[in-house]
Amino acid sequence: MSGKAMTLQECVESCLKSHAMCLDTGRYCMEQQGSHVSAAHLALLLDCAEMCQTTANSLLRHSPQHAAVCEVCARLCEACATDCDKFTSDAQMQRCAQTCRNCASSCRDMAKIRI
Amino acid sequence: MSGKAMTLQECVESCLKSHAMCLDTGRYCMEQQGSHVSAAHLALLLDCAEMCQTTANSLLRHSPQHAAVCEVCARLCEACATDCDKFTSDAQMQRCAQTCRNCASSCRDMAKIRI
Amino acid sequence: MSGKAMTLQECVESCLKSHAMCLDTGRYCMEQQGSHVSAAHLALLLDCAEMCQTTANSLLRHSPQHAAVCEVCARLCEACATDCDKFTSDAQMQRCAQTCRNCASSCRDMAKIRI
Amino acid sequence: MSGKAMTLQECVESCLKSHAMCLDTGRYCMEQQGSHVSAAHLALLLDCAEMCQTTANSLLRHSPQHAAVCEVCARLCEACATDCDKFTSDAQMQRCAQTCRNCASSCRDMAKIRI
């Protein structure tokens, strides 16, 4: 596999991981109740999950517009991570923040590559 | 309904129309064969369809990140419209281009509004 | 438009309405808090929303497997409506139940038609 | 992790693999042209991809309706595999058929489990 194909493959995997993590965290938050279930916090998690999925799909289609898609995905992942970081002593939220940051970094790399 | 709620509602509807039109056009292209089924053309149609769906969902969630999502949706809609316009004498492609342009315009308006 | 094409078009529209209604109700529930945000209730709403979307997309693709997809969509819509009905004096939940039931009925009709 | 949680995790992973494989195969078919791009064949691939995604998401939400969703997913995966099998000497199509069959088997197991 070429460097380009490897980066694409890694970015798809980062997006799918972040997608699954955000959905799982959404479920966790709904089970926790309290401040975990603010509408804005859940909207961010679900938005991030769906954009990660859309980005993975765009990459799998080798879309000519993948760079724009990757850039907005990185932005949503960072916003979601910042929001999750507010729950400083909650292990699930910390894992979610980390997974989103990894995905954001992978998407920024991918946005620079022509496919 | 306030002006803000009307714009949101209209933008959701524009996105859903553009989403359905792009999927329908994708099916039409696969039935036409020939130059209609270039991989890049179909990738653009499917990307645009999915991003319109993601944007409608983000707006329905009143997501704090809706502006970034609307901006990238407008960009994909314009790219898809430009590609459809190349089929100058094909009525389905012309309708698809117009529907995508309407959605792009609606998304640009929505990106300026706080929800 | 033939009767078949009309039924397909109506079913796509019912699915898109139910999809939007379930997402909007999900947001409403998160804003209400309390019993509205049980994890199972929200999971049903989000499942129903996503299956309605998947069904609309399957119909727009004229998929050979649309009947199986329509049947499971009808089932999820009924389950979601039954759950929403428990909130007897809440207008949003009653509207959501009605919209899901309309979609279920439309999907059952569509499942009997060959496309 | 309990046996139940392991089965759920494995089923999510099977669904995501099958989803990615079907989208990748769809792109491959569009690049191959000819009999690969029949509208019905591509509709099956895209339907299977989307249903696998919907199923993974339903499982990640621990949805009360996961069994019905897993059953229809298994059915679409089998239909897609049968269609891919017709391209007997094409390695990509054979890999896609195998991945879909694995997912179908995993979904049938998951449909029997209460979560």
Side-chain angles (χ1 to χ4, degrees):
Chain A
M1 209 159 36
S2 70
K4 190 186 284 191
M6 255 179 59
T7 309
L8 187 144
Q9 185 57 30
E10 282 168 12
C11 191
V12 167
E13 281 166 24
S14 294
C15 287
L16 294 179
K17 266 186 206 158
S18 177
H19 164 74
M21 177 56 93
C22 288
L23 279 191
D24 190 57
T25 302
R27 179 195 53 73
Y28 167 84
C29 287
M30 291 170 201
E31 288 170 6
Q32 297 301 304
Q33 304 277 323
S35 65
H36 280 280
V37 287
S38 85
H41 177 53
L42 281 164
L44 265 178
L45 280 167
L46 297 182
D47 256 37
C48 186
E50 193 167 1
M51 189 58 79
C52 288
Q53 188 174 269
T54 298
T55 304
N57 295 351
S58 178
L59 290 171
L60 287 163
R61 286 191 284 264
H62 292 195
S63 164
Q65 288 289 324
H66 82 279
V69 179
C70 286
E71 275 165 23
V72 78
C73 188
R75 188 163 156 179
L76 264 69
C77 285
E78 289 291 354
C80 187
T82 302
D83 213 47
C84 288
D85 266 344
K86 294 178 189 160
F87 298 86
T88 44
S89 58
D90 184 314
Q92 169 91 23
M93 305 309 278
Q94 295 300 310
R95 273 197 305 274
C96 190
Q98 190 54 54
T99 305
C100 289
R101 289 227 163 79
N102 290 346
C103 183
S105 164
S106 186
C107 283
R108 280 190 295 264
D109 289 347
M110 193 63 221
K112 293 174 207 145
I113 294 180
R114 272 183 73 98
I115 49 176
Chain B
M1 206 157 39
S2 69
K4 191 187 283 193
M6 255 180 55
T7 309
L8 187 143
Q9 185 57 30
E10 283 169 9
C11 192
V12 167
E13 281 166 23
S14 295
C15 287
L16 293 180
K17 266 186 206 157
S18 176
H19 165 73
M21 177 56 93
C22 288
L23 278 191
D24 191 56
T25 302
R27 178 197 53 74
Y28 166 85
C29 288
M30 291 171 203
E31 288 170 7
Q32 298 300 305
Q33 304 279 323
S35 65
H36 280 281
V37 288
S38 85
H41 178 53
L42 282 163
L44 265 177
L45 280 166
L46 297 181
D47 255 38
C48 186
E50 192 167 2
M51 190 57 79
C52 288
Q53 188 174 270
T54 298
T55 304
N57 295 351
S58 177
L59 290 171
L60 287 163
R61 286 190 285 263
H62 292 195
S63 164
Q65 288 291 322
H66 83 278
V69 179
C70 285
E71 275 165 23
V72 77
C73 189
R75 188 163 156 178
L76 263 68
C77 284
E78 289 290 355
C80 188
T82 302
D83 212 46
C84 287
D85 266 344
K86 293 178 189 161
F87 299 85
T88 44
S89 58
D90 184 315
Q92 169 92 23
M93 306 308 280
Q94 294 300 312
R95 275 197 304 276
C96 191
Q98 191 53 53
T99 305
C100 289
R101 289 226 163 78
N102 290 347
C103 183
S105 164
S106 186
C107 283
R108 280 188 296 262
D109 289 347
M110 193 64 222
K112 292 174 206 143
I113 294 179
R114 272 183 72 100
I115 49 175
Chain C
M1 208 160 33
S2 70
K4 191 186 283 190
M6 255 180 59
T7 309
L8 187 144
Q9 185 56 30
E10 282 168 13
C11 192
V12 168
E13 281 166 23
S14 294
C15 287
L16 294 180
K17 266 186 205 158
S18 177
H19 164 74
M21 177 56 92
C22 288
L23 279 191
D24 190 56
T25 302
R27 177 196 53 73
Y28 166 84
C29 289
M30 292 171 201
E31 287 170 7
Q32 297 300 303
Q33 304 278 322
S35 66
H36 280 280
V37 288
S38 86
H41 178 52
L42 281 163
L44 265 178
L45 280 166
L46 297 182
D47 255 37
C48 186
E50 192 167 2
M51 189 57 80
C52 288
Q53 187 173 269
T54 298
T55 304
N57 295 350
S58 178
L59 291 171
L60 287 162
R61 286 190 285 263
H62 293 194
S63 164
Q65 288 289 322
H66 82 279
V69 178
C70 285
E71 276 165 22
V72 77
C73 189
R75 188 163 157 179
L76 264 68
C77 284
E78 289 291 354
C80 187
T82 302
D83 213 47
C84 287
D85 266 344
K86 294 179 189 159
F87 299 86
T88 44
S89 57
D90 184 314
Q92 168 92 22
M93 306 307 279
Q94 295 299 311
R95 273 197 305 274
C96 190
Q98 191 53 55
T99 305
C100 288
R101 289 225 164 80
N102 290 346
C103 183
S105 165
S106 185
C107 282
R108 280 189 296 262
D109 290 346
M110 193 64 221
K112 294 175 206 144
I113 294 180
R114 272 184 71 99
I115 49 176
Chain D
M1 208 160 35
S2 70
K4 190 185 286 190
M6 254 179 60
T7 309
L8 188 143
Q9 184 57 30
E10 282 168 11
C11 192
V12 167
E13 280 166 24
S14 294
C15 287
L16 293 180
K17 265 185 206 159
S18 177
H19 164 74
M21 177 56 93
C22 288
L23 279 190
D24 190 56
T25 302
R27 178 195 54 72
Y28 166 83
C29 288
M30 291 171 202
E31 288 170 5
Q32 297 300 304
Q33 304 278 325
S35 65
H36 280 280
V37 287
S38 85
H41 177 54
L42 281 163
L44 266 177
L45 280 166
L46 297 182
D47 256 38
C48 186
E50 192 167 2
M51 189 57 80
C52 288
Q53 188 174 269
T54 298
T55 304
N57 295 351
S58 178
L59 291 171
L60 287 163
R61 286 190 284 263
H62 292 195
S63 164
Q65 288 290 322
H66 83 279
V69 179
C70 285
E71 276 165 22
V72 78
C73 189
R75 189 163 156 178
L76 264 68
C77 285
E78 288 290 354
C80 187
T82 302
D83 213 48
C84 287
D85 266 344
K86 293 178 190 160
F87 299 85
T88 45
S89 59
D90 184 315
Q92 169 92 22
M93 305 309 279
Q94 295 300 311
R95 273 196 306 274
C96 189
Q98 191 53 53
T99 305
C100 290
R101 289 225 164 79
N102 291 347
C103 183
S105 164
S106 186
C107 283
R108 280 189 297 263
D109 290 347
M110 194 63 222
K112 294 175 206 144
I113 295 180
R114 272 183 73 98
I115 48 175

